[in-house]
């Protein structure tokens, strides 16, 4: 059984390991994307909110010009930001991402959060971020009463118009997925969620498997992306966990490779982020070894329901607004 790709409900296959572009600095994004393609990456996970889609597009177009890769050989994902949930704003948001990425279609377009924020015009501020008005005396997150199904209908139209191949969602739980799937003409092909050994989400993964919804795990290395944001403690590093290091020794691989292999072997896609070329290569080299059933069981046993990326925590701390979505 090959784990190098995962199959979506439409029959299309997505590379199991992609490069996550969140928090890659704009000044180096184009070079990192170009280097990743040279390393063999064919899956890039982007989003309007990351603020580096223009630079990502520069890296992609350089690779196309050089003949290093053809557009049809890549899987490019982007995400609809919270301020563009009104049906009238979905297509303009998608078209902005297409222009920035310098491509004429996306392989996958995801609703970034089940949160509909007040609209911010692209020409006013982009990416819009979380604050409705960052210059206000006490800026907050402001929402709009837009049902998810209304946003989804506009997403479906993107598929019908040939601008997007597959559509899906991020940061949804089982109840929202079930409700959306019950109403959708085109069901969600993908769920992207935080998933790592401290947050294994067994029930959610099982539901998606039974519902033919593919799963991408973001932050598959756990706390690494959250240290500098003060959203994780150094003691929470999975790379330094004795169990992970012991298994890494058993299989002759790095702790990061063990964590990524765990995600891939569970049948999910993983999108680790790195700005280091050696790590790019290391993160992609997870298809020539296997974790034993005992290894997998020991890693899964680390689950502590620890979610690092939680609007119920960070929105209040960073954006003056209590905004839980998982409770």
């Amino acid at each position: 059984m090959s784990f190098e790709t995962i199959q979506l409900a439409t029959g299309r296959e997505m590379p199991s390991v992609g490069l996550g572009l969140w928090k890659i600095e704009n000044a180096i994004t184009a070079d990192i994307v170009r280097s990743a393609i040279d390393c063999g990456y064919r899956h890039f996970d982007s989003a309007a909110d990351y603020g580096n889609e223009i630079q990502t597009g520069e890296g992609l177009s350089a690779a196309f010009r050089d003949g290093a890769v053809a557009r049809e050989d890549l899987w490019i994902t982007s995400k609809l930001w919270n301020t563009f949930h009104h049906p009238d704003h979905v297509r303009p948001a998608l078209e902005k991402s297409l222009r920035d990425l310098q491509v004429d279609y996306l392989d996958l377009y995801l609703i970034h959060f089940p949160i509909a924020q007040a609209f911010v015009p692209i020409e006013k501020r982009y990416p819009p971020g979380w604050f409705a008005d960052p210059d206000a005396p006490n800026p907050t997150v402001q929402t709009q009463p837009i049902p998810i199904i209304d946003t989804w209908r506009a997403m479906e139209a993107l598929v019908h118009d040939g601008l997007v191949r597959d559509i899906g969602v991020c940061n949804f739980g089982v109840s929202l997925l079930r409700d959306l799937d019950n109403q959708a003409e085109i069901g969600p092909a993908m769920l992207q969620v935080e998933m790592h050994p401290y947050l294994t989400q067994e029930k959610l993964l099982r539901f998606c498997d039974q519902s033919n919804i593919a799963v991408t795990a973001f932050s598959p290395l756990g706390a690494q992306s959250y240290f500098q944001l003060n959203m994780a403690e150094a003691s929470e590093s999975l790379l330094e966990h004795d169990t992970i290091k012991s298994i890494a020794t058993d299989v002759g691989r790095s702790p990061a490779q063990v964590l990524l292999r765990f995600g891939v072997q569970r049948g999910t896609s993983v999108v680790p982020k790195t700005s280091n070329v050696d790590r790019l290569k290391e993160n992609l080299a997870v298809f020539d070894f296997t974790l034993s059933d005992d290894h997998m069981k020991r890693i899964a046993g680390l689950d502590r329901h620890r979610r690092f990326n939680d609007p119920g925590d960070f929105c209040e701390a960073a954006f003056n607004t209590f905004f839980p979505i998982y409770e």
Side-chain angles (χ1 to χ4, degrees), residues 19-33 44-60 76-79 96-97 99-102 112 126-128 273-275:
L19 176 62
L21 293 160
W22 181 47
K23 289 174 67 258
I24 294 183
E25 296 175 13
N26 289 18
I28 61 172
T29 296
D31 288 341
I32 292 297
V33 168
F44 293 89
D45 185 73
S46 184
D49 187 57
Y50 298 168
N52 58 9
E53 289 200 320
I54 289 175
Q55 294 77 18
T56 298
E58 291 168 354
L60 294 173
I76 301 173
T77 297
S78 188
K79 305 177 189 75
K96 168 65 171 163
S97 282
R99 288 194 301 273
D100 288 352
L101 293 167
Q102 300 187 44
H112 205 146
Y126 191 89
K273 165 257 177 186
T274 184
S275 300

Side-chain angles (χ1 to χ4, degrees), residues 27 36 53 85 161 163 305:
E53 289 200 320
H85 275 217
D161 291 343
L163 297 173
H305 308 293

Side-chain angles (χ1 to χ4, degrees), residues 110-186:
L110 305 172
I111 295 177
H112 205 146
F113 282 96
I115 299 171
Q117 289 178 226
F119 175 59
V120 177
I122 289 171
E123 57 274 14
K124 179 179 179 181
R125 189 174 72 250
Y126 191 89
W130 288 87
F131 285 134
D133 179 7
D135 298 322
N138 182 36
T140 59
V141 177
Q142 295 180 18
T143 61
Q144 279 188 305
I146 301 170
I148 289 168
I149 189 59
D150 290 358
T151 306
W152 190 254
R153 294 281 181 240
M155 299 277 284
E156 291 174 332
L158 301 176
V159 177
H160 292 311
D161 291 343
L163 297 173
V164 173
R165 299 291 191 259
D166 281 296
I167 50 177
V169 297
C170 303
N171 303 300
F172 276 45
V174 167
S175 292
L176 283 178
L177 283 171
R178 187 181 284 118
D179 187 58
L180 176 59
D181 206 28
N182 286 342
Q183 301 176 75
E185 174 200 344
I186 302 172

